[in-house]
Amino acid sequence: MTDSRTWIVSVLFLDIVGYSKVPVDQQLTIKIHFTNIVASSLESLNKQDCIQLDTGDGCAICYLGDPEKLFPIAIHFHRAFEAHVITSLVQFQLRLGVHLYPVEVA
């Protein structure tokens, strides 16, 4: 039997709006830009406390540390995305949500 623990975690959901409706070559370009924005936004988090799940059209970031630390990350992500939209030719829209959940980590 494996040891598991239930945590109250903060989860940041990011979803690229209409991703499946764009041609595949554009999907790849969008995903590269999206991934770069996510990576730069998560630099300040402890990597051992962070679980990232790629959802295909976005990602879910589960943070096991202090739940309040993920809120500034979400704000940073939003601002980084807004700056990207202003300066880049690659345009896409995002949905962003932050939730608190009990999660069992095995």
Side-chain angles (χ1 to χ4, degrees), residues 72-96:
I73 299 301
I75 292 167
H76 178 272
F77 183 85
H78 183 265
R79 289 182 180 150
F81 177 71
E82 284 180 333
H84 168 81
V85 167
I86 293 169
T87 60
S88 178
L89 296 176
V90 179
Q91 298 294 305
F92 56 98
Q93 295 179 332
L94 289 176
R95 278 186 285 265
L96 179 146

Short mmCIF file of all heavy atoms in Angstrom, two decimals, residues 72-96:
data_model
loop_
_atom_site.label_atom_id
_atom_site.label_comp_id
_atom_site.label_asym_id
_atom_site.label_seq_id
_atom_site.Cartn_x
_atom_site.Cartn_y
_atom_site.Cartn_z
N PRO A 72 -0.64 35.68 -6.72
CA PRO A 72 0.24 36.61 -7.44
C PRO A 72 0.76 36.02 -8.76
O PRO A 72 0.98 36.76 -9.73
CB PRO A 72 1.40 36.87 -6.47
CG PRO A 72 0.90 36.49 -5.14
CD PRO A 72 -0.15 35.44 -5.37
N ILE A 73 0.92 34.70 -8.80
CA ILE A 73 1.36 34.04 -10.04
C ILE A 73 0.28 34.20 -11.11
O ILE A 73 0.56 34.48 -12.26
CB ILE A 73 1.66 32.55 -9.79
CG1 ILE A 73 2.78 32.38 -8.77
CG2 ILE A 73 1.96 31.82 -11.08
CD1 ILE A 73 4.10 32.99 -9.13
N ALA A 74 -0.98 34.03 -10.72
CA ALA A 74 -2.08 34.20 -11.66
C ALA A 74 -2.13 35.63 -12.18
O ALA A 74 -2.33 35.86 -13.38
CB ALA A 74 -3.41 33.83 -11.00
N ILE A 75 -1.92 36.59 -11.32
CA ILE A 75 -1.90 38.00 -11.73
C ILE A 75 -0.73 38.26 -12.66
O ILE A 75 -0.86 38.90 -13.71
CB ILE A 75 -1.86 38.93 -10.51
CG1 ILE A 75 -3.20 38.83 -9.76
CG2 ILE A 75 -1.57 40.37 -10.91
CD1 ILE A 75 -3.19 39.45 -8.39
N HIS A 76 0.46 37.71 -12.32
CA HIS A 76 1.63 37.85 -13.19
C HIS A 76 1.36 37.24 -14.55
O HIS A 76 1.70 37.81 -15.58
CB HIS A 76 2.85 37.19 -12.54
CG HIS A 76 4.08 37.27 -13.39
ND1 HIS A 76 4.38 36.33 -14.34
CD2 HIS A 76 5.07 38.19 -13.43
CE1 HIS A 76 5.51 36.66 -14.93
NE2 HIS A 76 5.95 37.79 -14.40
N PHE A 77 0.76 36.05 -14.56
CA PHE A 77 0.44 35.39 -15.82
C PHE A 77 -0.50 36.25 -16.66
O PHE A 77 -0.29 36.42 -17.86
CB PHE A 77 -0.20 34.02 -15.57
CG PHE A 77 -0.47 33.28 -16.84
CD1 PHE A 77 0.52 32.51 -17.43
CD2 PHE A 77 -1.71 33.38 -17.46
CE1 PHE A 77 0.27 31.86 -18.62
CE2 PHE A 77 -1.95 32.72 -18.65
CZ PHE A 77 -0.96 31.96 -19.23
N HIS A 78 -1.52 36.80 -16.04
CA HIS A 78 -2.48 37.64 -16.75
C HIS A 78 -1.77 38.85 -17.37
O HIS A 78 -1.99 39.19 -18.54
CB HIS A 78 -3.59 38.10 -15.80
CG HIS A 78 -4.65 38.90 -16.46
ND1 HIS A 78 -4.64 40.27 -16.48
CD2 HIS A 78 -5.76 38.52 -17.15
CE1 HIS A 78 -5.69 40.70 -17.16
NE2 HIS A 78 -6.39 39.65 -17.56
N ARG A 79 -0.91 39.50 -16.61
CA ARG A 79 -0.17 40.67 -17.11
C ARG A 79 0.80 40.28 -18.22
O ARG A 79 0.94 41.00 -19.21
CB ARG A 79 0.55 41.37 -15.98
CG ARG A 79 -0.42 42.07 -15.04
CD ARG A 79 0.30 42.80 -13.94
NE ARG A 79 -0.68 43.45 -13.07
CZ ARG A 79 -0.50 43.68 -11.79
NH1 ARG A 79 0.63 43.32 -11.21
NH2 ARG A 79 -1.43 44.26 -11.08
N ALA A 80 1.47 39.14 -18.07
CA ALA A 80 2.40 38.67 -19.11
C ALA A 80 1.64 38.36 -20.39
O ALA A 80 2.11 38.66 -21.49
CB ALA A 80 3.17 37.45 -18.62
N PHE A 81 0.45 37.77 -20.25
CA PHE A 81 -0.35 37.48 -21.43
C PHE A 81 -0.81 38.77 -22.10
O PHE A 81 -0.76 38.89 -23.33
CB PHE A 81 -1.55 36.61 -21.07
CG PHE A 81 -2.44 36.36 -22.26
CD1 PHE A 81 -2.02 35.53 -23.28
CD2 PHE A 81 -3.66 36.99 -22.37
CE1 PHE A 81 -2.81 35.32 -24.39
CE2 PHE A 81 -4.47 36.78 -23.47
CZ PHE A 81 -4.04 35.93 -24.50
N GLU A 82 -1.26 39.75 -21.32
CA GLU A 82 -1.67 41.03 -21.90
C GLU A 82 -0.51 41.68 -22.65
O GLU A 82 -0.71 42.22 -23.74
CB GLU A 82 -2.17 41.97 -20.81
CG GLU A 82 -3.55 41.65 -20.31
CD GLU A 82 -4.01 42.61 -19.22
OE1 GLU A 82 -3.17 43.19 -18.50
OE2 GLU A 82 -5.24 42.78 -19.10
N ALA A 83 0.69 41.64 -22.09
CA ALA A 83 1.87 42.20 -22.76
C ALA A 83 2.16 41.44 -24.05
O ALA A 83 2.51 42.03 -25.07
CB ALA A 83 3.08 42.15 -21.83
N HIS A 84 1.98 40.12 -24.02
CA HIS A 84 2.19 39.30 -25.21
C HIS A 84 1.22 39.71 -26.33
O HIS A 84 1.62 39.85 -27.48
CB HIS A 84 2.00 37.82 -24.88
CG HIS A 84 1.93 36.95 -26.08
ND1 HIS A 84 3.06 36.53 -26.75
CD2 HIS A 84 0.88 36.45 -26.77
CE1 HIS A 84 2.69 35.80 -27.79
NE2 HIS A 84 1.37 35.74 -27.81
N VAL A 85 -0.04 39.90 -25.97
CA VAL A 85 -1.06 40.26 -26.96
C VAL A 85 -0.71 41.58 -27.64
O VAL A 85 -0.89 41.74 -28.84
CB VAL A 85 -2.46 40.33 -26.30
CG1 VAL A 85 -3.48 40.99 -27.21
CG2 VAL A 85 -2.92 38.95 -25.91
N ILE A 86 -0.17 42.51 -26.87
CA ILE A 86 0.19 43.83 -27.42
C ILE A 86 1.40 43.74 -28.34
O ILE A 86 1.44 44.41 -29.37
CB ILE A 86 0.46 44.82 -26.26
CG1 ILE A 86 -0.83 45.10 -25.51
CG2 ILE A 86 1.08 46.12 -26.78
CD1 ILE A 86 -0.65 45.86 -24.21
N THR A 87 2.37 42.89 -28.00
CA THR A 87 3.65 42.90 -28.72
C THR A 87 3.83 41.79 -29.74
O THR A 87 4.78 41.82 -30.50
CB THR A 87 4.81 42.81 -27.71
OG1 THR A 87 4.70 41.59 -26.97
CG2 THR A 87 4.81 43.99 -26.77
N SER A 88 2.97 40.80 -29.79
CA SER A 88 3.20 39.64 -30.64
C SER A 88 2.20 39.57 -31.79
O SER A 88 1.07 40.01 -31.69
CB SER A 88 3.09 38.36 -29.81
OG SER A 88 3.25 37.23 -30.62
N LEU A 89 2.66 38.95 -32.86
CA LEU A 89 1.78 38.69 -34.00
C LEU A 89 0.92 37.45 -33.76
O LEU A 89 -0.09 37.25 -34.41
CB LEU A 89 2.60 38.51 -35.28
CG LEU A 89 3.39 39.74 -35.73
CD1 LEU A 89 4.24 39.40 -36.95
CD2 LEU A 89 2.46 40.90 -36.04
N VAL A 90 1.35 36.60 -32.84
CA VAL A 90 0.61 35.39 -32.51
C VAL A 90 -0.47 35.76 -31.50
O VAL A 90 -0.19 36.09 -30.36
CB VAL A 90 1.54 34.30 -31.92
CG1 VAL A 90 0.75 33.06 -31.56
CG2 VAL A 90 2.65 33.97 -32.90
N GLN A 91 -1.71 35.72 -31.93
CA GLN A 91 -2.83 36.15 -31.10
C GLN A 91 -3.69 34.95 -30.70
O GLN A 91 -3.99 34.09 -31.52
CB GLN A 91 -3.70 37.16 -31.85
CG GLN A 91 -2.96 38.44 -32.22
CD GLN A 91 -2.58 39.24 -30.99
OE1 GLN A 91 -3.42 39.58 -30.17
NE2 GLN A 91 -1.30 39.55 -30.87
N PHE A 92 -4.06 34.91 -29.43
CA PHE A 92 -4.99 33.91 -28.93
C PHE A 92 -5.60 34.43 -27.63
O PHE A 92 -5.11 35.39 -27.05
CB PHE A 92 -4.31 32.55 -28.72
CG PHE A 92 -3.10 32.57 -27.82
CD1 PHE A 92 -3.19 32.22 -26.48
CD2 PHE A 92 -1.85 32.91 -28.32
CE1 PHE A 92 -2.07 32.22 -25.67
CE2 PHE A 92 -0.72 32.91 -27.52
CZ PHE A 92 -0.83 32.56 -26.18
N GLN A 93 -6.70 33.81 -27.23
CA GLN A 93 -7.38 34.21 -26.00
C GLN A 93 -7.25 33.10 -24.96
O GLN A 93 -7.10 31.93 -25.32
CB GLN A 93 -8.86 34.46 -26.27
CG GLN A 93 -9.13 35.63 -27.19
CD GLN A 93 -10.62 35.80 -27.44
OE1 GLN A 93 -11.39 34.84 -27.39
NE2 GLN A 93 -11.03 37.03 -27.70
N LEU A 94 -7.33 33.50 -23.70
CA LEU A 94 -7.20 32.55 -22.60
C LEU A 94 -8.35 32.66 -21.62
O LEU A 94 -8.94 33.72 -21.46
CB LEU A 94 -5.91 32.81 -21.82
CG LEU A 94 -4.62 32.47 -22.50
CD1 LEU A 94 -3.45 32.88 -21.63
CD2 LEU A 94 -4.54 30.98 -22.79
N ARG A 95 -8.62 31.54 -20.98
CA ARG A 95 -9.47 31.52 -19.79
C ARG A 95 -8.54 31.15 -18.64
O ARG A 95 -7.67 30.29 -18.79
CB ARG A 95 -10.57 30.47 -19.91
CG ARG A 95 -11.75 30.94 -20.69
CD ARG A 95 -12.87 29.89 -20.63
NE ARG A 95 -12.57 28.76 -21.49
CZ ARG A 95 -13.02 28.63 -22.75
NH1 ARG A 95 -13.78 29.56 -23.27
NH2 ARG A 95 -12.71 27.58 -23.46
N LEU A 96 -8.76 31.79 -17.51
CA LEU A 96 -7.91 31.56 -16.34
C LEU A 96 -8.80 31.43 -15.13
O LEU A 96 -9.74 32.21 -14.96
CB LEU A 96 -6.96 32.76 -16.20
CG LEU A 96 -5.97 32.80 -15.06
CD1 LEU A 96 -4.72 33.50 -15.56
CD2 LEU A 96 -6.52 33.52 -13.87
#
